[in-house]
Amino acid sequence: MTEVGTVVAMFVLIFFVGALLGLLIGVVACVRYVRQEMTARIAPTMTLMQLQLENVQSSVNLALATWHADVHTSHTVRSSTAELPRP
Protein backbone atom coordinates (compact mmCIF):
# COMPACT_ATOMS: atom_id res chain seq x y z
CA MET A 1 0.00 0.00 0.00
CA THR A 2 1.14 3.45 -0.65
CA GLU A 3 1.52 6.13 1.93
CA VAL A 4 -1.60 7.94 0.70
CA GLY A 5 -3.63 4.71 0.93
CA THR A 6 -2.44 4.16 4.50
CA VAL A 7 -3.40 7.69 5.51
CA VAL A 8 -6.86 7.30 3.96
CA ALA A 9 -7.36 3.93 5.65
CA MET A 10 -6.27 5.39 8.97
CA PHE A 11 -8.61 8.37 8.47
CA VAL A 12 -11.55 6.04 7.71
CA LEU A 13 -10.72 3.86 10.72
CA ILE A 14 -10.53 6.88 13.05
CA PHE A 15 -13.83 8.16 11.63
CA PHE A 16 -15.59 4.82 12.28
CA VAL A 17 -14.19 4.52 15.81
CA GLY A 18 -15.37 8.07 16.57
CA ALA A 19 -18.78 7.35 15.09
CA LEU A 20 -19.15 4.18 17.16
CA LEU A 21 -18.04 6.00 20.30
CA GLY A 22 -20.56 8.79 19.63
CA LEU A 23 -23.30 6.23 19.01
CA LEU A 24 -22.48 4.47 22.26
CA ILE A 25 -22.59 7.72 24.25
CA GLY A 26 -25.90 8.64 22.59
CA VAL A 27 -27.43 5.27 23.44
CA VAL A 28 -26.32 5.57 27.07
CA ALA A 29 -27.85 9.04 27.32
CA CYS A 30 -31.12 7.85 25.77
CA VAL A 31 -31.33 4.82 28.05
CA ARG A 32 -30.78 6.98 31.13
CA TYR A 33 -33.47 9.44 29.97
CA VAL A 34 -35.97 6.68 29.19
CA ARG A 35 -35.37 5.01 32.57
CA GLN A 36 -35.92 8.31 34.39
CA GLU A 37 -39.15 8.97 32.49
CA MET A 38 -40.45 5.45 33.08
CA THR A 39 -39.75 5.78 36.80
CA ALA A 40 -41.44 9.17 36.90
CA ARG A 41 -44.57 7.72 35.28
CA ILE A 42 -44.72 4.55 37.37
CA ALA A 43 -43.96 6.04 40.80
CA PRO A 44 -47.39 7.65 41.44
CA THR A 45 -49.18 4.49 40.33
CA MET A 46 -46.99 2.35 42.56
CA THR A 47 -47.64 4.65 45.52
CA LEU A 48 -51.39 4.40 44.96
CA MET A 49 -51.19 0.61 44.70
CA GLN A 50 -49.14 0.46 47.90
CA LEU A 51 -51.76 2.52 49.76
CA GLN A 52 -54.56 0.28 48.49
CA LEU A 53 -52.62 -2.83 49.50
CA GLU A 54 -52.07 -1.44 53.00
CA ASN A 55 -55.81 -0.67 53.21
CA VAL A 56 -56.71 -4.25 52.28
CA GLN A 57 -54.14 -5.59 54.75
CA SER A 58 -55.54 -3.54 57.62
CA SER A 59 -59.10 -4.63 56.73
CA VAL A 60 -58.06 -8.30 56.76
CA ASN A 61 -56.25 -7.81 60.07
CA LEU A 62 -59.35 -6.20 61.57
CA ALA A 63 -61.59 -9.00 60.29
CA LEU A 64 -59.26 -11.68 61.68
CA ALA A 65 -58.99 -9.92 65.04
CA THR A 66 -62.79 -9.60 65.25
CA TRP A 67 -63.26 -13.26 64.28
CA HIS A 68 -60.68 -14.37 66.84
CA ALA A 69 -62.36 -12.28 69.56
CA ASP A 70 -65.78 -13.72 68.68
CA VAL A 71 -64.49 -17.29 68.72
CA HIS A 72 -62.72 -16.74 72.03
CA THR A 73 -65.79 -15.04 73.55
CA SER A 74 -68.21 -17.74 72.40
CA HIS A 75 -65.85 -20.45 73.69
CA THR A 76 -65.64 -18.70 77.08
CA VAL A 77 -69.43 -18.28 77.23
CA ARG A 78 -70.00 -21.95 76.35
CA SER A 79 -67.50 -23.18 78.92
CA SER A 80 -68.92 -20.93 81.65
CA THR A 81 -72.50 -22.02 80.94
CA ALA A 82 -71.44 -25.67 81.00
CA GLU A 83 -70.12 -25.25 84.52
CA LEU A 84 -73.39 -23.88 85.89
CA PRO A 85 -75.34 -26.40 87.93
CA ARG A 86 -78.62 -27.48 86.45
CA PRO A 87 -81.73 -27.15 88.57
Side-chain angles (χ1 to χ4, degrees):
M1 255 168 92
T2 64
E3 191 172 311
V4 174
T6 306
V7 171
V8 170
M10 187 65 84
F11 180 75
V12 170
L13 187 63
I14 290 171
F15 175 77
F16 280 128
V17 169
L20 287 175
L21 187 60
L23 183 66
L24 179 66
I25 291 171
V27 167
V28 169
C30 285
V31 166
R32 287 190 63 178
Y33 174 75
V34 167
R35 286 182 66 189
Q36 287 175 352
E37 289 300 313
M38 296 265 307
T39 305
R41 286 186 190 168
I42 291 174
T45 305
M46 294 299 287
T47 303
L48 181 62
M49 289 175 65
Q50 180 67 32
L51 291 174
Q52 290 173 344
L53 182 62
E54 289 173 358
N55 189 18
V56 168
Q57 184 179 7
S58 63
S59 297
V60 168
N61 286 341
L62 178 64
L64 284 174
T66 305
W67 174 79
H68 185 266
D70 287 344
V71 167
H72 183 68
T73 303
S74 66
H75 178 69
T76 306
V77 168
R78 269 192 257 139
S79 64
S80 64
T81 56
E83 296 173 0
L84 292 176
R86 295 189 177 237

